[in-house]
Amino acid sequence: YSEIFRFRGSGGNNGIPFYSRRIGLDFRTGQPVDIDVGAKLAGRVGNLSVGALIVQQEDRDEVSDDPLFVGRVTQNILTESRIGAIFTQGDPNSLNDNTLAGVDFTYRNTRFSSNYTLSSDLWYQQSDTDGLIGDDKAYSANIDLSTENTGISGDIGYNYIGAEYNPALGFANRRGVEQFDAYVQGRYYLEDHPWLWYYFANLNFSHTSRIDTGEMQSESLSSRLVSLNSPQGDRFYVDIE
């Protein structure tokens, strides 16, 4: 039932509202933390999924002794899609009160065409931390058109992580940034060729900049110019970084 707690579209390292290893581990020292008591509820009823976790860690200096709580609910809609919400309370490594609320929507349509799948992820989060005032929101949107057959696939996405966004029970590796990503690939299958199964090529672009100044933080452009793949699993490819 760990899938129930997964927040769609936040699969990377930035903007994760709940990361289970935050509990039972001191992130300042890397040492394990004893858990005094805890309870977990997870289950499904029809198209509705519900998860809840409450944990009391051992007493430590300069760390709140309030219990940690995570609640998650999702509802399957539109045959293949899902909408959900998450709420977290508590900070496992400080005295500060922290709460986070978020909503997410995952759209998936495998009937879009005979060869393509259309999917999209949208999410929004807002944190509230004692002593932090400012831009504490985070949101993301992406759309993907993909095929495993001959054809062109592509993905485009945008992430916004506020400077004061603070998922105390989750993870954010870069704050105060916005990121744009784009990916396109092409694949062509050959019929009855003795040693070549398909051609493949792609192009990947990513740009990250500071929200406050617009200054570029990082940018990358990479490409697999060509990939020749055999039915036996052999591959020859040329990459540019």
Side-chain angles (χ1 to χ4, degrees), residues 28-223:
R28 296 171 299 182
T29 65
Q31 298 300 311
V33 175
D34 289 337
I35 294 176
D36 292 335
V37 65
K40 180 179 180 181
L41 169 69
R44 296 185 176 91
V45 179
N47 290 324
L48 181 69
S49 298
V50 177
L53 176 68
I54 186 167
V55 172
Q56 180 69 59
Q57 297 187 140
E58 67 174 350
D59 290 340
R60 290 180 291 153
D61 293 337
E62 300 182 357
V63 175
S64 172
D65 59 0
D66 292 337
L68 309 171
F69 174 80
V70 182
R72 174 76 164 143
V73 60
T74 64
Q75 174 75 36
N76 294 336
I77 61 174
L78 303 175
T79 306
E80 300 176 279
S81 304
R82 189 172 79 166
I83 190 170
I86 193 168
F87 177 80
T88 73
Q89 171 74 51
D91 188 332
N93 287 294
S94 84
L95 290 168
N96 297 326
D97 287 337
N98 176 274
T99 60
L100 180 145
V103 292
D104 61 329
F105 172 61
T106 295
Y107 176 78
R108 181 175 173 84
N109 189 343
T110 58
R111 298 163 298 149
F112 175 72
S113 77
S114 59
N115 290 324
Y116 284 90
T117 295
L118 178 65
S119 60
S120 178
D121 286 299
L122 306 171
W123 57 260
Y124 180 89
Q125 301 173 47
Q126 187 92 35
S127 65
D128 185 9
T129 306
D130 281 353
L132 282 181
I133 300 175
D135 189 3
D136 52 11
K137 63 182 177 293
Y139 53 88
S140 175
N142 86 291
I143 186 168
D144 179 273
L145 182 66
S146 62
T147 180
E148 295 299 322
N149 301 314
T150 293
I152 304 295
S153 300
D155 179 278
I156 188 169
Y158 174 80
N159 288 348
Y160 179 104
I161 308 293
E164 278 71 47
Y165 165 73
N166 181 32
L169 284 172
F171 191 77
N173 62 354
R174 299 178 78 176
R175 296 178 173 89
V177 299
E178 55 183 349
Q179 180 174 337
F180 172 79
D181 296 291
Y183 176 82
V184 63
Q185 71 173 36
R187 182 186 287 110
Y188 180 79
Y189 284 92
L190 289 84
E191 295 184 5
D192 302 323
H193 197 283
W195 58 268
L196 188 58
W197 186 18
Y198 65 90
Y199 300 99
F200 174 85
N202 67 25
L203 182 67
N204 190 21
F205 174 76
S206 179
H207 176 92
T208 303
S209 60
R210 290 184 51 150
I211 295 171
D212 54 355
T213 65
E215 177 187 359
M216 185 181 69
Q217 296 288 289
S218 63
E219 187 174 78
S220 65
L221 178 65
S222 61
S223 174

